[in-house]
């Protein structure tokens, strides 16, 4: 009896120099823009409001964290997130075919669209206890940092823009994307950009656990599916026959050696 063994090689091609600590020189033009906006009264009001609603944002964080969202099962969290974005003041909110949540806040109509995104899914499997507990001023739960806090932050930004009455030149779409973790293979992002409606001119993703780090280059993920077939399989009845598992194990060992040498220098890359 033939057995089928499927092996998925997952490569994270991190051609992102931001992973390495480097000193970045910011162009004066950008500095002047930042200085201009930090002096804007409405922007100051928005930042002040974010601080005022901190407890509210934490409540949003806890509520969303306690809605399980393991890979490919983000639906219930997505529905609640859509309700929160609607209550925060979005002009329109919808959930697309694969489960991404998108909320439009219209700008002045310069023809550009900017996205502010956090991913809905967590890496933890179905059945994981996601109840939030606290110790001092720290909250603990699987997935609370990656990336449920990003979702809460996105909501807070929308609330602050509404409260301060800030009109943006571009349309802003607030996004909760699916399929970021593991075998999700960025399916939410792929769907958005394949559909290309709306067409995004800039994309800002809130993710990760470090404060103060900004990555300004893309992270690519390439996956290859390799199938091994052979007559072996049963440990007794097929003993001595070529087993697909043996071929897969040898392939992994060989790949690890070659890939290890390839990734030992140059832009940070993992496999």
């Amino acid at each position: 009896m033939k057995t089928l063994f499927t092996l998925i090689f997952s490569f994270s091609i991190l051609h992102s120099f931001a992973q390495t600590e480097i000193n970045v020189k910011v162009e004066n033009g950008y500095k002047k823009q930042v200085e201009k906006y930090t002096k804007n009264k409405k922007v100051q009001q928005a930042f002040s409001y974010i601080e005022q609603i901190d407890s509210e944002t934490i409540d949003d964080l806890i509520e969303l964290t306690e809605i399980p969202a393991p890979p490919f099962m983000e639906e219930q969290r997505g529905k609640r997130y859509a309700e929160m974005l609607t209550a925060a003041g979005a002009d329109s909110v919808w959930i697309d075919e694969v489960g991404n949540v998108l909320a439009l806040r219209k700008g002045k109509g310069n023809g550009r669209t900017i996205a502010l995104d956090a991913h809905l899914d967590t890496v933890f499997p179905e059945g994981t206890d996601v109840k939030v507990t606290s110790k001092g001023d720290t909250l603990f739960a699987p997935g609370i940092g990656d990336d449920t806090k990003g979702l809460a932050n996105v909501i807070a930004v929308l609330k602050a823009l509404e409260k301060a009455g800030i009109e943006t030149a571009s349309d802003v779409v607030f996004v909760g994307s699916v399929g970021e973790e593991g075998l999700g293979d960025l399916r939410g992002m792929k769907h958005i950009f394949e559909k290309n409606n709306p067409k995004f001119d800039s994309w800002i993703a809130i993710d990760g656990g470090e404060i103060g780090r900004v990555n300004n280059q893309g992270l690519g993920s390439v996956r290859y599916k390799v199938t091994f077939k052979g007559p072996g399989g049963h440990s007794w009845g097929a003993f001595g026959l070529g087993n697909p598992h043996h071929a897969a194990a040898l392939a992994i060992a060989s790949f690890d050696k070659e890939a290890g040498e390839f990734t030992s220098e140059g832009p940070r890359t993992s496999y």
Side-chain angles (χ1 to χ4, degrees):
M1 183 177 185
K2 290 190 175 182
T3 61
L4 184 66
F5 184 79
T6 301
L7 176 68
I8 297 177
F9 288 117
S10 177
F11 305 84
S12 294
I13 312 302
L14 313 184
H15 289 297
S16 174
F17 295 99
Q19 295 292 330
T20 304
E21 293 297 328
I22 57 176
N23 293 320
V24 178
K25 182 179 180 180
V26 180
E27 294 182 13
N28 287 330
Y30 293 121
K31 288 182 179 179
K32 290 180 179 178
Q33 286 185 45
V34 172
E35 290 172 358
K36 173 185 174 182
Y37 289 120
T38 55
K39 294 175 182 177
N40 183 289
K41 296 297 183 182
K42 286 190 175 182
V43 172
Q44 292 175 358
Q45 182 183 350
F47 275 99
S48 176
Y49 185 67
I50 287 174
E51 292 181 354
Q52 292 174 33
I53 63 170
D54 184 60
S55 61
E56 188 176 308
T57 302
I58 290 175
D59 288 341
D60 290 342
L61 172 59
I62 293 172
E63 181 179 353
L64 287 169
T65 299
E66 293 184 344
I67 302 174
F72 300 96
M73 302 180 69
E74 306 98 334
E75 183 178 359
Q76 292 306 312
R77 180 179 287 194
K79 288 181 178 179
R80 181 61 184 130
Y81 187 58
E83 292 172 353
M84 289 178 168
L85 289 169
T86 300
D91 294 314
S92 59
V93 180
W94 67 100
I95 300 176
D96 69 17
E97 297 85 346
V98 299
N100 294 310
V101 179
L102 301 100
L104 171 65
R105 186 177 190 269
K106 296 179 181 177
K108 295 180 180 179
N110 70 350
R112 292 173 60 84
T113 303
I114 297 171
L116 182 63
D117 161 58
H119 64 85
L120 287 162
D121 58 319
T122 65
V123 73
F124 303 96
E126 183 180 9
T128 300
D129 183 2
V130 292
K131 182 70 176 176
V132 177
T133 59
S134 62
K135 184 177 181 181
D137 62 355
T138 305
L139 300 175
F140 296 88
I144 195 168
D146 185 11
D147 183 32
T148 319
K149 74 170 184 179
L151 297 172
N153 288 342
V154 170
I155 295 170
V157 171
L158 175 54
K159 290 178 179 178
L161 290 172
E162 287 292 298
K163 180 66 175 180
I166 294 176
E167 289 186 271
T168 56
S170 305
D171 289 346
V172 181
V173 177
F174 300 84
V175 182
S177 55
V178 298
E180 193 273 349
E181 299 285 7
L183 295 179
D185 196 24
L186 301 176
R187 76 182 194 282
M189 296 293 289
K190 288 177 178 178
H191 178 80
I192 288 172
F193 283 95
E194 285 170 358
K195 188 176 181 182
N196 205 31
N197 182 28
K199 180 182 180 297
F200 290 99
D201 298 279
S202 298
W203 194 280
I204 303 169
I206 304 176
D207 198 358
E210 295 185 23
I211 296 175
R213 186 180 71 183
V214 176
N215 294 345
N216 65 351
Q217 294 180 310
L219 180 150
S221 175
V222 180
R223 292 167 184 249
Y224 299 87
K225 187 174 183 178
V226 182
T227 300
F228 296 83
K229 295 181 180 180
H234 196 281
S235 58
W236 182 262
F239 181 75
L241 297 177
N243 191 313
H245 288 78
H246 299 152
L250 288 170
I252 292 170
S254 177
F255 178 85
D256 181 61
K257 180 178 181 299
E258 299 294 330
E261 294 176 1
F262 180 78
T263 59
S264 63
E265 57 185 14
R268 181 174 174 180
T269 308
S270 69
Y271 61 89

